[in-house]
Amino acid sequence: MIEEGSKSSKAMVEKRQLFMEMRAQNFDVIRLSTYRTACKLRFVQKRCNLHLVDVWNMIEAFRDNGLSTLDHNAEINVSRLETILSSIFYQLNKRLPTTHQINVEQSIGLLLNFIVATYDSEGHGKLTVFAMKAMLATMCGGKILDKIRYIFSQISDSNGVMVFAKFDQFLREVLKLPTAVFEGPSFGYTEHSVRTCFPQQKKILLNTFLDVLMADPPPQCLVWLPLMHRLANVENVFHPVECSYCRSESMMGFRYRCQQCHGYQLCQSCFWRGHASGPHSNQHQMKEHSSWKSPAKKLSHAISKSLGCMPIGEPPHPVFPEAAERPQDLVHTTNTLESPSRLDEEHRLIARYAARLAAEASNSTQCPPTDLSFNFDANKQQRQLIAELENKNREILQEIQRLRLEHEQASQPTPEKAQQNPTLLAELRLLRHRKDELERRMSALQESRRELMVQLEGLMRLLKQDEEQKQAVQTGGSPHSSPSHSASCTMPMPIRSTSAGSTPTHTPQDCLAGVGDDVLDAFSQGVPRNLRNDLLVAADSITNTMSSLVKELHSVDDGLEEEEENMRNGREKEERKSYRFDMRLSQSKRI
């Protein structure tokens, strides 16, 4: 009796272990229910090692355990469920390298207890086949597109049309997952769940089903599903941006930018907990960012988009044919690599066929001599062909085995790879520093270009005053009769913009908009030929400077050595152009 009591208490502890570990993560401090639900289910997925199992591996496990031929409403007991989970995780360990093996028994125990607590809360010891398929297909790894396609194959008829009753059954089963992690009030099943997904009762095909479930935003009852996949994609994403609340110099995961407060950004921890500072409020609209783009990449993207070098938008998913195709069950697929018994069966079939050919050859001895020789030659050719096919099959299997061993050896970490990590991190930091330096130089040279254009405008005014004085002398007037003579003798000083530290996002031609009309008129046909040529030379030199800057921005990813060389060349060019311009300016003043 004492032993039975200790075993039952141990089983209760194992049953509650996953939920106790989830509570220790303190997910309840997240104020938004969508993020709270997605984080809890992501924790369960990783803790049970389901994120390592692809949806196609799940489908193969269903087929191997005979679930593809069972009715959806058929029931299976807990012992058979444990057998299915064992095959899933043992097959996973075969695919993983030896250095990344998982604890199979622990994974089976945690996942089994979670499934039983979710779908057998009353303790009947049974659950339906459809409930198990829906749960495992939703919680496993892989692409969300493949998951939704498989789900549609389970709830559609032979014509490829969705059955609303089966979709309602799917929602009833899959929405038990948020309820199991104590988020039932927000995402529990209701009778109106189907109507929120498909308000109009119409014919739903695969592409329509994908459009609805992969829309932005998705249906309210399933909004946590794509968010769980986005969480998996941004866990290792780095943002070199300072959080406006906690002042952390970098962010990991999601990044949130306020649409009303300029430059106000929050890390995912501060946003999930509702932190705000200054004029920012939690009622402001925030935009979620799952990646980081430097200002240089944004500038290149804007220029390429304006020139039509990239498509404006991409469809959310590929368009599939409307014909009813259900390849997800893999009923007729054979796995020769993982099933040695099937290889033996194949060899037995070949041997049986060869024996039948030999029997036919022996029976043909009663035929005429011409037929006998013909049959003998045909049988001989067939036996040779069979032998060649068998040899080819052995060679292919040996090659597959060799490639698998090479893959396992390549996936194992070596001391040389481990020693390269600090060097790689240092190179990444240096590359980021070079990018920032180029962006600052881009901004400074952009401002210098504007200063040069302002100086050109002053030079234009001086040249016009000289023309007016010459005309006045020729007409007999005083050379000092021009009312604007004193004002035009002073060269206007350039004014620096306060935004010189920011990266310019306009094209080189936009800088002419801030210059007076005198410089623009210099390119017309009414100005003397020598003045127009001088201005054209100056404009060409400025345009070449901007072209070299854009080339420097595009060549950042080509390597650090190439960047330094481009910076040196750009610096020498700029110094030579500045020297030439100063010489021309001094000559003009002397004139």
Side-chain angles (χ1 to χ4, degrees), residues 383-397:
R383 286 194 296 272
Q384 292 177 353
L385 179 60
I386 292 172
E388 292 176 358
L389 292 175
E390 287 182 346
N391 294 331
K392 190 67 175 177
N393 188 25
R394 294 191 191 94
E395 293 176 359
I396 293 174
L397 292 177

Side-chain angles (χ1 to χ4, degrees), residues 463-524:
L463 293 176
K464 280 190 175 183
Q465 290 300 326
D466 292 339
E467 292 293 334
E468 291 176 359
Q469 291 177 9
K470 291 179 181 180
Q471 291 178 2
V473 171
Q474 292 175 359
T475 55
S478 173
H480 301 286
S481 61
S482 177
S484 61
H485 175 71
S486 60
S488 63
C489 290
T490 59
M491 177 66 67
M493 297 301 293
I495 301 175
R496 284 192 178 272
S497 174
T498 57
S499 62
S502 62
T503 302
T505 59
H506 52 272
T507 57
Q509 289 79 4
D510 294 337
C511 292
L512 295 176
V515 183
D517 296 334
D518 294 335
V519 179
L520 298 177
D521 294 339
F523 295 94
S524 62

Side-chain angles (χ1 to χ4, degrees), residues 460 518 521-532 535:
M460 184 65 192
D518 294 335
D521 294 339
F523 295 94
S524 62
Q525 296 297 328
V527 183
R529 181 180 181 86
N530 56 355
L531 174 62
R532 184 170 65 252
L535 294 178

Side-chain angles (χ1 to χ4, degrees), residues 238-489:
F238 175 79
H239 305 269
V241 182
E242 182 182 6
C243 178
S244 300
Y245 182 83
C246 66
R247 299 302 176 185
S248 176
E249 297 182 356
S250 60
M251 303 180 188
M252 293 294 293
F254 285 120
R255 173 171 56 92
Y256 299 89
R257 177 187 291 272
C258 182
Q259 301 299 296
Q260 300 182 24
C261 304
H262 178 71
Y264 194 89
Q265 301 188 80
L266 292 176
C267 61
Q268 68 176 19
S269 179
C270 294
F271 176 75
W272 288 357
R273 286 160 175 77
H275 295 162
S277 61
H280 178 70
S281 172
N282 289 331
Q283 304 301 324
H284 291 179
Q285 184 180 3
M286 303 290 287
K287 185 176 181 181
E288 178 187 283
H289 293 274
S290 58
S291 62
W292 162 255
K293 290 184 179 179
S294 64
K297 288 185 178 180
K298 291 181 181 179
L299 176 61
S300 301
H301 180 81
I303 294 175
S304 300
K305 188 175 181 181
S306 62
L307 296 177
C309 298
M310 60 177 58
I312 298 177
E314 297 181 356
H317 63 83
V319 179
F320 297 95
E322 296 183 357
E325 295 183 358
R326 308 179 70 173
Q328 290 84 357
D329 284 334
L330 304 176
V331 178
H332 302 290
T333 305
T334 57
N335 190 352
T336 58
L337 296 179
E338 303 294 339
S339 302
S341 60
R342 290 177 185 166
L343 288 176
D344 297 338
E345 183 179 358
E346 181 181 354
H347 288 295
R348 285 196 298 269
L349 290 175
I350 294 174
R352 188 183 305 171
Y353 182 66
R356 188 174 65 181
L357 291 177
E360 291 179 356
S362 61
N363 293 332
S364 62
T365 55
Q366 300 177 357
C367 297
T370 55
D371 296 338
L372 178 61
S373 60
F374 176 78
N375 292 334
F376 179 78
D377 294 338
N379 293 335
K380 184 178 181 181
Q381 293 177 359
Q382 291 175 354
R383 286 194 296 272
Q384 292 177 353
L385 179 60
I386 292 172
E388 292 176 358
L389 292 175
E390 287 182 346
N391 294 331
K392 190 67 175 177
N393 188 25
R394 294 191 191 94
E395 293 176 359
I396 293 174
L397 292 177
Q398 292 175 359
E399 183 68 16
I400 292 174
Q401 187 65 23
R402 184 184 63 82
L403 292 175
R404 177 182 293 179
L405 293 175
E406 291 181 357
H407 175 71
E408 292 179 355
Q409 294 176 358
S411 60
Q412 294 179 1
T414 59
E416 290 79 5
K417 294 182 180 179
Q419 293 175 1
Q420 291 176 0
N421 288 335
T423 305
L424 180 59
L425 292 176
E427 291 180 356
L428 289 176
R429 294 192 191 97
L430 183 59
L431 181 59
R432 190 178 296 112
H433 177 72
R434 291 298 185 188
K435 285 185 178 180
D436 296 338
E437 184 179 352
L438 282 176
E439 291 166 6
R440 290 193 297 269
R441 178 161 179 78
M442 178 71 180
S443 176
L445 292 181
Q446 186 75 6
E447 194 63 30
S448 300
R449 181 176 183 269
R450 182 173 180 81
E451 293 174 3
L452 293 176
M453 298 304 294
V454 174
Q455 292 178 6
L456 282 175
E457 184 180 9
L459 178 61
M460 184 65 192
R461 291 176 183 174
L462 288 176
L463 293 176
K464 280 190 175 183
Q465 290 300 326
D466 292 339
E467 292 293 334
E468 291 176 359
Q469 291 177 9
K470 291 179 181 180
Q471 291 178 2
V473 171
Q474 292 175 359
T475 55
S478 173
H480 301 286
S481 61
S482 177
S484 61
H485 175 71
S486 60
S488 63
C489 290

Side-chain angles (χ1 to χ4, degrees), residues 527-582:
V527 183
R529 181 180 181 86
N530 56 355
L531 174 62
R532 184 170 65 252
N533 291 337
D534 292 339
L535 294 178
L536 285 173
V537 171
D540 289 339
S541 64
I542 295 170
T543 303
N544 293 333
T545 304
M546 291 303 301
S547 299
S548 64
L549 289 175
V550 173
K551 290 179 180 179
E552 287 182 10
L553 287 175
H554 282 291
S555 62
V556 168
D557 295 330
D558 294 338
L560 297 177
E561 296 180 357
E562 192 172 352
E563 292 174 4
E564 295 176 354
E565 184 178 356
N566 289 336
M567 289 177 62
R568 288 197 298 269
N569 294 336
R571 193 181 302 112
E572 293 174 358
K573 283 185 179 180
E574 184 63 25
E575 291 176 355
R576 288 197 299 269
K577 291 171 185 173
S578 178
Y579 174 75
R580 293 174 182 172
F581 182 78
D582 292 338

Side-chain angles (χ1 to χ4, degrees), residues 43 83 183 192 431 435 552:
F43 172 78
T83 303
E183 297 296 333
H192 306 287
L431 181 59
K435 285 185 178 180
E552 287 182 10

